[in-house]
């Protein structure tokens, strides 16, 4: 079980607080007088390099942060998670997404059962199914090959596979096209189905619970669309498969249990990419490459379990996040992939981090009083540069940012990659070291500006610098590297949750809105009285009803 230590009440926290007061006034420029800084604060793991030297840290900060993780029982917490202890206490569940990518032939006993046996058999079923769809052995009801696969799911049943299919698009040459429908807004499914053909479309209904309103509504619409052409319900088995842990609901929906790919309670939604939820990835790029992604994640698991904290990438990233959130008071963090294939990585990380650690009640059941997860956002570089980077360079917030880039491009077109790399490198340099007023004045003078102009313009052209970032460089974006990167961030989130003394694997915060929506739906559908609502909600409902002619 996880230790319950209030980090704020530890002596180490106090020491960090005192040290922060000193560190905040030492600019990065000053810290970089130490020419060994890159060697001291960078870590290599296989084909991935993390440079965290452009952070407002020194040896003392790092030692204190590591001390904090030790006091919090991080070591033991890692062991507990991998061993399948029920560390998701509020739901009384183990947390074993790592078992899904355990490709060894060993065993892992949970509730008297070797769960690796079940995991292997679902993986085998995924292998056979994905191959037969890709090779056209699995056929639609008129005997045609499947050309389009539509994944219907939301949250963890959408974001992970959607992100991974996008990230590995380069490798999807012979696979069918894969589409993702998540939003209950009817426009999402309508626009997706517009160009598809009932005879050649396969639906994967992805829902752990198989009760999620958005997914079930979209799945029902997909079923009607299919039957409008196919007519006979017998054909549903040729066009619908389920990725779920709820066999009863799957068969109630009318999907043949033969076409169900199971996963289990010990897999949280936002960690479910490694389960049957990854089926669209296997169909898109082929099972072997899908398994390479799992292998990559498994390598990160081994790194996370075995590497001392000082060289442990998820631990370092997690600690830096805490340093900025709790001591510098940063409310936001950015993840900026200089890799178009990773365009959906920030969206995936938003759920991973904010649904896991966006909590304010500690494992003691009391208000934390200290900050937990930051708001996470991101966009691929260089697009972000022409959008919101103004704020990270010159705004009033300090936003620690992770920059990611491949050394080698997957598409070596002209000098695109040189330019991408140049931007990637320059941005972190500009953020860290900025441009002083003196430098601005000299530059303007060299441009032959008048002294009047210089006085007027120069304050606006100063870059304060001293803005922290991490650089993560990988050789090229392969399935193995993608697996490693995803698992690095998963474990970063775990590290932070352990130290913040919160439960990272539940998500009670999404429930209230869902419950209220049931009541409001009745109102919208049947026009029942609205006296039990607050005046704002009641006013909005009346306005909508009036406009809809109720
Ligand atoms: O939004 C809450 C949530 O439970 C997520 O944690 C989960 O990923 C998503 O809904 C989808 O749930 P399901 O896979 O059960 O449809």
């Amino acid at each position: 079980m996880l230790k319950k230590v209030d980090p704020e009440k530890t002596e180490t926290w106090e020491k960090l607080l005192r040290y922060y007061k000193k560190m905040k006034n030492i600019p990065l420029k000053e810290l970089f007088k130490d020419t060994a800084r890159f060697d001291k604060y960078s870590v290599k793991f296989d084909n991935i390099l993390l440079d965290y030297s452009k952070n407002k840290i020194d040896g003392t900060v790092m030692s204190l942060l590591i001390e904090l993780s030790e006091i919090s029982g991080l070591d033991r917490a890692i062991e507990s998670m991998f061993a399948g202890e029920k560390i998701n206490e509020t739901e009384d569940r183990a947390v074993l997404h790592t078992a899904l990518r355990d490709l060894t032939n060993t065993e892992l006993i949970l509730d008297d059962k070797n769960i690796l046996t079940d995991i292997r058999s679902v993986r085998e079923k995924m292998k056979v199914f994905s191959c037969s769809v890709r090779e056209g052995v699995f056929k639609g009801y008129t005997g045609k090959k499947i050309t389009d696969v539509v994944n219907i799911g939301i949250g963890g049943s959408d974001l992970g596979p959607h992100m991974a299919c996008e990230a590995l698009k380069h490798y999807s040459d012979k696979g069918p096209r894969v589409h993702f429908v998540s939003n209950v807004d009817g426009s999402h499914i309508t626009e997706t189905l517009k160009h598809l053909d009932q005879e050649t479309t396969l639906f994967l209904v992805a829902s752990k619970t198989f009760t999620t309103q958005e997914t079930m509504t979209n799945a029902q619409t997909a079923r009607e669309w299919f039957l409008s052409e196919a007519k006979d319900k017998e054909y549903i088995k040729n066009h619908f498969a389920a990725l779920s842990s709820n066999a009863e609901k799957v068969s109630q929906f009318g999907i043949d249990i033969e076409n169900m790919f199971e996963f289990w309670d010990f897999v949280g939604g936002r960690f479910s990419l490694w389960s049957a939820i990854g089926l669209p990835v296997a169909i898109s790029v082929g099972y072997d490459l899908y398994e390479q992604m799992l292998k990559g994640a498994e390598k990160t698991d081994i790194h996370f379990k075995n590497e001392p904290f000082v060289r442990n990438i998820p631990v370092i990233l997690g600690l830096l996040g805490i340093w900025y959130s709790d001591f510098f008071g940063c409310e936001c963090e950015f993840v900026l992939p200089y890799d178009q294939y990773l365009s959906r990585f920030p969206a995936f990380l938003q759920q991973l981090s904010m649904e896991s650690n966006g909590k304010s009640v500690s494992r003691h059941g009391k208000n934390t009083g200290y900050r937990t997860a930051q708001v996470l956002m991101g966009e691929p570089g260089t697009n972000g540069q022409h959008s919101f980077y103004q704020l990270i360079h010159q705004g009033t917030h300090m936003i620690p940012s992770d920059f990611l880039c491949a050394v080698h491009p997957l598409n070596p077109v002209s000098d695109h990659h040189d330019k991408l790399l140049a931007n990637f490198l320059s941005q972190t340099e500009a953020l860290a070291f900025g441009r002083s007023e003196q430098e601005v004045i000299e530059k303007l003078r060299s441009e032959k500006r008048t002294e009047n102009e210089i006085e007027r313009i120069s304050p606006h052209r100063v870059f304060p610098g001293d803005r922290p970032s991490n650089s993560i460089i990988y050789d090229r974006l392969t399935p193995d590297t993608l697996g490693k990167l995803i698992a690095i961030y998963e474990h970063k989130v775990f590290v932070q949750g352990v130290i913040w003394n919160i439960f990272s694997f539940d998500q009670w915060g999404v429930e209230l809105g869902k419950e209220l929506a049931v009541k409001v739906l009745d109102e919208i559908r049947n026009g029942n009285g609205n006296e039990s609502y607050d005046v704002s909600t009641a006013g909005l409902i009346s306005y909508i009803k009036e406009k809809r002619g109720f």
Side-chain angles (χ1 to χ4, degrees):
M1 281 306 125
L2 303 180
K3 237 169 131 177
K4 293 185 173 139
V5 178
D6 248 331
E8 216 186 13
K9 298 206 174 104
T10 63
E11 234 177 82
T12 314
W13 190 276
E14 280 304 313
K15 285 191 224 161
L16 276 163
L17 209 51
R18 280 198 297 278
Y19 206 72
Y20 153 73
K21 289 178 184 145
K22 178 182 159 204
M23 274 315 281
K24 71 171 184 192
N25 298 318
I26 308 179
L28 281 168
K29 236 182 211 163
E30 185 67 28
L31 294 173
F32 267 79
K33 286 186 178 154
D34 174 4
T35 51
R37 204 170 157 82
F38 175 78
D39 296 329
K40 280 187 195 160
Y41 305 116
S42 60
V43 189
K44 279 193 203 118
F45 153 49
D46 276 7
N47 50 359
I48 295 180
L49 168 79
L50 164 68
D51 167 27
Y52 63 102
S53 60
K54 292 193 188 94
N55 279 292
K56 289 182 72 74
I57 51 153
D58 64 5
T60 310
V61 175
M62 287 317 290
S63 314
L64 287 172
L65 287 170
I66 285 172
E67 191 178 294
L68 184 67
S69 67
E70 285 162 356
I71 293 170
S72 311
L74 180 60
D75 242 332
R76 177 76 193 94
I78 295 173
E79 274 170 34
S80 303
M81 176 172 72
F82 280 92
E85 287 175 33
K86 297 200 170 165
I87 60 169
N88 177 358
E89 283 183 43
T90 56
E91 294 179 329
D92 194 27
R93 288 178 188 162
V95 174
L96 278 172
H97 48 282
T98 50
L100 301 166
R101 57 219 191 194
D102 180 341
L103 299 170
T104 59
N105 231 354
T106 48
E107 57 169 30
L108 180 54
I109 306 295
L110 182 70
D111 298 330
D112 301 324
K113 221 175 153 201
N114 178 12
I115 57 163
L116 294 190
T117 312
D118 288 349
I119 291 173
R120 276 193 287 266
S121 91
V122 174
R123 264 209 306 264
E124 193 49 41
K125 191 169 165 182
M126 287 169 71
K127 182 176 182 172
V128 173
F129 188 77
S130 57
C131 286
S132 76
V133 171
R134 282 173 66 80
E135 283 162 17
V137 177
F138 182 96
K139 291 192 179 3
Y141 73 103
T142 55
K144 289 189 181 162
K145 188 179 169 169
I146 298 296
T147 56
D148 293 90
V149 173
V150 181
N151 188 85
I152 298 179
I154 198 164
S157 301
D158 165 77
L159 292 162
H162 195 171
M163 174 273 293
C165 283
E166 197 57 38
L168 301 178
K169 210 156 132 187
H170 179 75
Y171 304 91
S172 70
D173 56 343
K174 281 191 252 108
R177 287 178 292 268
V178 183
H179 314 264
F180 288 84
V181 171
S182 53
N183 200 333
V184 77
D185 181 342
S187 303
H188 202 176
I189 191 149
T190 305
E191 284 302 330
T192 309
L193 297 183
K194 227 178 210 174
H195 309 287
L196 305 186
D197 183 337
Q198 282 88 344
E199 292 177 71
T200 55
T201 300
L202 169 67
F203 292 97
L204 303 177
V205 185
S207 175
K208 180 175 165 183
T209 52
F210 230 72
T211 57
T212 303
Q213 187 199 55
E214 294 87 338
T215 302
M216 297 331 293
T217 307
N218 278 320
Q220 205 57 47
T221 301
R223 195 174 184 270
E224 281 159 24
W225 175 82
F226 171 71
L227 287 175
S228 70
E229 198 61 37
K231 311 292 181 209
D232 193 339
K233 286 183 188 148
E234 259 304 293
Y235 295 138
I236 286 181
K237 66 177 180 311
N238 300 66
H239 292 266
F240 283 81
L243 323 175
S244 183
S245 60
N246 192 341
E248 199 185 319
K249 293 275 178 205
V250 168
S251 59
Q252 270 171 23
F253 181 86
I255 296 180
D256 191 341
I257 289 298
E258 268 306 296
N259 285 354
M260 171 175 160
F261 296 82
E262 194 190 4
F263 64 108
W264 308 270
D265 264 358
F266 56 77
V267 184
R270 51 197 174 273
F271 298 88
S272 61
L273 170 64
W274 321 100
S275 70
I277 291 294
L279 187 61
V281 187
I283 294 178
S284 173
V285 299
Y287 184 83
D288 291 346
L289 293 186
Y290 163 75
E291 200 170 279
Q292 279 181 28
M293 181 180 83
L294 264 51
K295 274 197 183 117
E298 189 188 26
K299 287 179 201 159
T300 295
D301 293 341
I302 295 166
H303 168 93
F304 183 51
K305 271 196 286 190
N306 299 339
E307 234 14 74
F309 289 171
V310 278
R311 290 198 302 277
N312 194 314
I313 293 184
V315 174
I316 294 169
L317 291 177
L319 291 174
L320 289 169
I322 291 175
W323 178 231
Y324 291 118
S325 173
D326 294 286
F327 298 91
F328 283 80
C330 299
E331 288 180 333
C332 196
E333 60 181 338
F334 286 170
V335 177
L336 307 164
Y338 278 65
D339 195 325
Q340 188 58 31
Y341 286 118
L342 290 182
S343 61
R344 291 203 56 85
F345 199 43
F348 165 76
L349 294 180
Q350 277 173 11
Q351 187 200 17
L352 182 65
S353 176
M354 298 199 274
E355 196 167 84
S356 299
N357 288 340
K359 318 261 164 85
S360 49
V361 173
S362 76
R363 293 201 287 271
H364 292 294
K366 299 270 180 326
N367 214 291
T368 57
Y370 46 85
R371 285 172 198 269
T372 58
Q374 288 129 294
V375 176
L376 188 153
M377 60 168 275
E379 267 293 311
T382 55
N383 298 3
Q385 287 174 207
H386 296 273
S387 161
F388 54 84
Y389 278 32
Q390 165 66 40
L391 184 147
I392 25 175
H393 283 289
Q394 288 188 318
T396 48
H397 301 260
M398 178 197 265
I399 305 186
S401 306
D402 288 357
F403 285 72
L404 287 85
C405 195
V407 177
H408 302 292
L410 292 176
N411 299 294
V413 197
S414 139
D415 64 349
H416 284 248
H417 203 68
D418 298 343
K419 287 175 181 158
L420 187 69
L421 275 168
N423 277 285
F424 161 78
L425 294 166
S426 314
Q427 287 297 327
T428 60
E429 193 189 6
L431 283 168
F433 307 112
R435 178 171 278 164
S436 68
E437 188 166 16
Q438 194 48 43
E439 288 166 329
V440 171
I441 292 171
E442 277 162 26
K443 186 167 187 298
L444 292 174
R445 281 193 182 132
S446 75
E447 290 168 9
K448 305 269 181 277
R449 303 292 192 104
T450 66
E451 285 306 309
N452 260 352
E453 245 184 323
I454 292 174
E455 199 185 324
R456 190 169 52 82
I457 294 170
S458 56
H460 303 282
R461 300 196 46 177
V462 170
F463 287 75
D466 212 25
R467 301 183 179 218
S469 65
N470 292 310
S471 299
I472 299 176
I473 305 185
Y474 43 91
D475 286 359
R476 52 169 55 78
L477 191 64
T478 60
D480 173 87
T481 301
L482 179 68
K484 281 185 192 139
L485 289 173
I486 300 169
I488 283 174
Y489 279 94
E490 284 179 348
H491 293 320
K492 169 194 168 181
V493 164
F494 174 73
V495 167
Q496 295 189 321
V498 169
I499 298 175
W500 279 326
N501 194 28
I502 52 178
F503 288 117
S504 299
F505 296 100
D506 58 25
Q507 54 285 318
W508 300 108
V510 301
E511 293 304 324
L512 180 59
K514 282 187 198 171
E515 272 173 41
L516 295 183
V518 174
K519 191 169 79 163
V520 179
L521 179 60
D522 190 37
E523 183 80 51
I524 302 279
R525 253 194 208 144
N526 307 320
N528 294 335
N530 60 18
E531 32 326 310
S532 63
Y533 297 103
D534 64 87
V535 289
S536 161
T537 312
L540 292 167
I541 291 174
S542 310
Y543 180 82
I544 292 169
K545 275 178 162 177
E546 196 188 310
K547 290 277 167 192
R548 297 176 99 196
F550 248 138

